[in-house]
Every structure is written in C-alpha cells, then in structure tokens.
Amino acid sequence: MRKRFTIAFILAAVCISACRSSLDADGTGFVRFGVIEDPSVTDAVSPAVRSNLLSLVDSLPGENDFVLTVFRDDSELWSGMLPDWPVRKRIPIKGCKVTASCGTGEEGYCKPVLTGEQMIVIAGFDTTDVTVTVRLANCLVKAGFSETFTSYFPTHEVKITTGAGNEFFFDEDGDEPAFIDPYRFSATCACINQGGADVSLGPFAYDNLKAGVCYTLYFDVKNIGTTSVTVSVSLDDIEEEIDLGIIELN
C-alpha cells in the first residue's frame, strides 16, 4: 500500500509541476485563430451616424483572406494566411500578440484595408481560441450634389488628388467612394452650366483625415436669380463658398 501511495503521490506531483510550467513565462501552448470584422463606418458630416461598410462597397473579404503575423516582443514567430496556421504549433503562452490584415494598401475604389491586433493569453493545456477584431484602416471619400447644383450644372466632375498623388473622379452618374490613406487630399470640380459655359471650382485642400471615416464633398448652389451665383462646398464642418459673380445663361 505504501508503494502504491508513493507512486500515486509522485504522479500527482509531476502533474502539478507540468501544470505550473504551462503557466509560467517559458511555457508553450496551442492557439486556434479567428477573425471578426467590424464593418462600421463613421459619417464625417454627422459623427453620430454610423453606417455599414457593406452599404458602401459590393463585398468584404472573408476570414480566410487575412494574413496573420504572430510576434513575441519585436520578434516575428510566424506569418502567413489564416487557413495555413498550424494549429499544433507551440508558441509561448505569454508576451505574444497576433496581427491580422487584409488589403494591399493601394488606394482605389472597392479597396478597403482591414487590420487588427490582439494579445495572446494561453490557459492550461487546451487549445486556446483567439479572435482578432479588424477595422477599416483607410478612409473613404465620395461626392454629393444638391438638386439645385445638378440642375444648374448638368455636367460636372469632381477630381480628388490624394497625398500619395493618386487621382479619383466622381460625377453625376455614380457616387462609389474611393478608399484612400487617412492623410490628406485636394479636390477640384469641372462644370458646364446650363448656358454651356465652363466653370472650374477649387482646388480645395483637406487634411487631418481619420481612419474608418467616410468624407463626403457636398456641392450646392445658392443665390440663383440674384446678382450673382454662389457655389457652396462642404466637407464635415468645413464649408467654403465661391462667388461666381453674374453668369449669363443662353
């Protein structure tokens, strides 16, 4: 009986020791990763209004489209597509984080960049599920026109130039937003009024942009029928007015 008790006690001690070692800084464990998308976008014109990114683009990437990178401190332990993560790969149970990203970083239409990161904490001997929430890392720019503006300028095209030098265009036939770096852009608008006269508006410069925000350049016309015509251009809480003077219509 003593021998059996001694053997059982030794086995229990080994089990406790192994459990403790799995919880110290030198222990390792297994992780199973997942990604959840936060598709909310803030409207710059009304920050209280949040829309779904899916209402602005045709589709969003799936979970398996994301690249995962696992770090410990500043050292990269693994990087690859989420489906390629080796679930039975051991990593340190403390001091690690994972980043998830999708998108090339190029500016353009239908080119969202989604990123996120999460610290990894592994508990016990089981495989730990770690979910990374990803959010929009670029911002969106689109154009809007009042009925008065569209009536007064039947033909109009807005061009924005980003801080990276890329150009995007918006006209009366579409309002698909452009995904750009949350840095800065300038805008101009080329118009033809009812009388066939060319009118050029801008350039207008905007900076201090924020990720996850949709900026709408809104054009309106005021004072028609008086001594002059004024075009109002607004972005968020910035509003500029351009006095076009007296324009004769044919």
Side-chain angles (χ1 to χ4, degrees), residues 171-218:
D171 58 24
E172 65 273 11
D173 295 326
D175 60 353
E176 183 179 11
F179 290 83
I180 71 170
D181 291 335
Y183 176 35
R184 68 184 182 194
F185 72 91
S186 62
T188 59
C189 183
C191 314
I192 300 177
N193 69 15
Q194 295 170 347
D198 293 329
V199 177
S200 181
L201 307 174
F204 314 101
Y206 306 98
D207 54 15
N208 297 319
L209 307 179
K210 298 178 180 179
V213 175
C214 182
Y215 296 91
T216 301
L217 272 167
Y218 190 75

Side-chain angles (χ1 to χ4, degrees), residues 22-38:
S22 71
L23 298 177
D24 63 28
D26 297 325
T28 60
F30 305 116
V31 178
R32 181 170 44 241
F33 290 113
V35 170
I36 293 180
E37 296 173 4
D38 178 0

Side-chain angles (χ1 to χ4, degrees), residues 129-152:
D129 290 313
V130 173
T131 302
V132 184
T133 300
V134 294
R135 297 178 174 85
L136 190 64
N138 40 17
C139 68
L140 301 91
V141 178
K142 62 179 183 174
F145 310 94
S146 71
E147 291 184 8
T148 307
F149 185 91
T150 301
S151 176
Y152 191 82

Side-chain angles (χ1 to χ4, degrees), residues 17-29 71-73 77 90-96 120-124:
S17 176
C19 183
R20 285 178 177 171
S21 68
S22 71
L23 298 177
D24 63 28
D26 297 325
T28 60
F71 297 92
R72 190 180 194 192
D73 298 326
L77 302 181
R90 288 187 174 275
I91 64 171
I93 66 172
K94 292 183 180 180
C96 289
I120 302 172
V121 179
I122 301 174

Side-chain angles (χ1 to χ4, degrees), residues 3 6 13 44-45 78 92 123 140 205 211-212 224 231:
K3 289 183 180 180
T6 301
V45 177
W78 187 87
L140 301 91
I224 294 179
V231 173

